[in-house]
Amino acid sequence: MTIISEVMTRGVRTLQPHDQVKLAAKLMDELDVGSLPVCDAGKLVGIVTDRDLVVRGLARHSSVDQLEVQELMSSEVAYCLEKQTVEEALEYMGGDQLRRLPVLNEEKQLVGIVTLGDIASKEEQPETDETLAEISSDLPK
């Protein structure tokens, strides 16, 4: 059985709650990612997505110049533990329609992120196709 720590991406760039939204957008562009974990003293406290920047930021605020990440981030974040199995993570991802999960260690410190792409490229998992189908099944066309 493969565990998450064997397939996850380490060294994930994070933001802090008081970082400006502009920094989040710039990093997402530079890193070509759609979300960034938000940590405070190494602990995961939220996640901010490109959709958050648009819907919660631009659509609701007349100016985003001084807006902080904590004002837009989701503070209830799904995650998995580095010692969990890939199968457990895939089940969780499919049930909640998630394409990526932050990965925490036993002390609840962020140690990486795992995506469906990580799993698909590093593992031969028939469940990956099923999970992707579950995630995509209810998406608007």
Side-chain angles (χ1 to χ4, degrees), residues 50-70:
D50 48 6
R51 187 173 192 281
D52 293 334
L53 298 181
V54 174
V55 175
R56 293 183 185 165
L58 293 175
R60 295 184 186 167
H61 297 272
S62 58
S63 173
V64 294
D65 287 341
Q66 300 302 315
L67 205 55
E68 294 180 350
V69 169
Q70 66 185 349

Side-chain angles (χ1 to χ4, degrees), residues 3-58:
I3 58 173
I4 293 298
S5 63
E6 296 172 2
V7 298
M8 71 183 197
T9 300
R10 295 182 183 275
V12 176
R13 178 62 165 92
T14 64
L15 294 165
Q16 295 180 8
H18 295 291
D19 284 337
Q20 291 191 347
V21 170
K22 282 180 155 182
L23 175 61
K26 182 179 178 183
L27 287 172
M28 285 182 199
D29 182 39
E30 288 175 6
L31 300 170
D32 194 28
V33 297
S35 67
L36 290 167
V38 182
C39 294
D40 191 10
K43 301 273 186 187
L44 182 68
V45 295
I47 195 160
V48 65
T49 67
D50 48 6
R51 187 173 192 281
D52 293 334
L53 298 181
V54 174
V55 175
R56 293 183 185 165
L58 293 175

